[in-house]
Amino acid sequence: MSTQKPVRRITAPQITRRKGGDPIVSLTSYHAHTAAIVDKYADFILVGDSLGMVMHGMESTVGVSLELMIMHGKAVVRGTSRALVVVDMPFGTYEESPSVAFRNAARVMKETQCGAVKLEGGARMAETIRFLSERGIPVMAHIGLTPQSVNVMGGFKTQGRDEDSWTSHEEDARAVAEAGAFALVLEGMVEPLAARITKQIAIPTIGIGASAECDGQILVLEDMLGLNPTPPKFVKVYGNLGGQIEAAVKAYSEEVKDRSFPGESEVYR
């Protein structure tokens, strides 16, 4: 009989308690096999609506549906046992009202068995964050460059270049923290502003293009593995899987054409 203790998933409150401590590690994942690898090293895994662009070739995240998020969320949860799994709420599923947001977030939690959801927006979403948190749904907030607002922003633009805008970003951060968010993603934000926000609020900040001053970091897995030929400036590329995959496909193509594949070791006799 095994005496090994079962692995317990990291929870949203545990992430909150990491504020000011060891940096929080996170990556995105959209399918079971990569999630199983990331699970060994990440504190939380984000099933980001970036999957619309990364996996489905969309120009932005705006076209991602709730059903698509649930499908990928299920896959990531199946492939993991340790990391907290956070699923993005896609555009149009939470902005209308707190009650609509709760209905959709509850569906995501129930159908995927994830541990939390993430939604974009600062002070304007504080009421919704409070409504969800009080009803048992842990919420990760997201401010700065918010991709779902790309059509309003006029593109993917770095936030905080104009120091006059810092006050509104700081107010957003305080509002979501006070509303009950357990952590806050800061995306595409200048370093001094990200540092100020990190010092001002009691919940961890998770940076993506917001400097090492944050309490943790997240990147899109495919970006850091070298599968995106034009990654954003803030991405450090840790692998060259794009080149390796192309080389492997090219070698396979050549062997099929010259009939050296399948060879003796790949044939049933």
Side-chain angles (χ1 to χ4, degrees):
M1 185 175 178
S2 176
T3 59
Q4 187 174 358
K5 292 183 179 180
V7 176
R8 291 189 176 182
R9 281 194 186 273
I10 295 170
T11 64
Q14 286 176 307
I15 296 294
T16 302
R17 290 195 291 270
R18 294 277 294 276
K19 174 70 179 180
D22 292 337
I24 298 163
V25 178
S26 177
L27 285 166
T28 65
S29 183
Y30 315 122
H31 26 59
H33 61 282
T34 56
I37 298 170
V38 175
D39 191 47
K40 300 174 184 178
Y41 306 100
D43 299 303
F44 76 87
I45 296 173
L46 176 66
V47 186
D49 60 357
S50 49
L51 62 84
M53 302 168 75
V54 176
M55 302 292 295
H56 297 276
M58 298 179 183
E59 291 186 2
S60 74
T61 62
V62 173
V64 175
S65 68
L66 193 65
E67 289 71 25
L68 201 58
M69 295 306 307
I70 289 171
M71 180 182 72
H72 286 277
K74 286 179 178 179
V76 170
V77 171
R78 290 190 200 109
T80 58
S81 61
R82 174 186 165 274
L84 170 68
V85 176
V86 182
V87 176
D88 258 339
M89 296 297 295
F91 177 72
T93 64
Y94 61 91
E95 298 92 339
E96 182 178 347
S97 70
S99 59
V100 168
F102 177 79
R103 186 182 311 119
N104 289 324
R107 180 184 170 195
V108 169
M109 297 277 291
K110 290 171 72 173
E111 294 189 26
T112 67
Q113 296 296 298
C114 69
V117 299
K118 181 174 76 65
L119 53 81
E120 295 182 6
R124 65 184 175 84
M125 296 309 304
E127 180 185 359
T128 296
I129 292 170
R130 182 173 289 106
F131 191 90
L132 298 184
S133 299
E134 290 175 348
R135 287 159 179 78
I137 298 178
V139 179
M140 178 176 288
H142 181 160
I143 67 170
L145 195 170
T146 47
Q148 292 176 12
S149 302
V150 63
N151 292 315
V152 174
M153 290 182 170
F156 298 97
K157 297 182 178 180
T158 304
Q159 301 297 296
R161 296 254 190 224
D162 180 0
E163 201 166 331
D164 291 338
S165 70
W166 286 15
T167 299
S168 65
H169 291 297
E170 290 170 320
E171 289 173 352
D172 280 340
R174 288 193 293 269
V176 298
E178 291 167 4
F182 73 90
L184 173 61
V185 173
L186 304 179
E187 180 169 358
M189 186 176 286
V190 297
E191 183 179 49
L193 176 57
R196 281 169 62 102
I197 289 174
T198 299
K199 291 183 176 71
Q200 289 173 7
I201 62 174
I203 61 174
T205 56
I206 311 297
I208 176 166
S211 87
E213 294 297 320
C214 297
D215 295 300
Q217 299 294 324
I218 186 168
L219 284 176
V220 171
L221 181 65
E222 284 74 6
D223 286 349
M224 58 88 75
L225 290 178
L227 288 169
N228 181 354
T230 56
K233 170 185 168 60
F234 57 75
V235 173
K236 179 176 181 179
V237 179
Y238 287 83
N240 182 31
L241 291 197
Q244 291 176 6
I245 290 172
E246 184 171 354
V249 172
K250 181 174 182 287
Y252 165 74
S253 172
E254 291 171 349
E255 290 189 9
V256 169
K257 290 175 180 178
D258 66 18
R259 296 186 181 276
S260 62
F261 175 83
E264 184 61 32
S265 62
E266 293 91 29
V267 175
Y268 295 104
R269 298 296 183 190

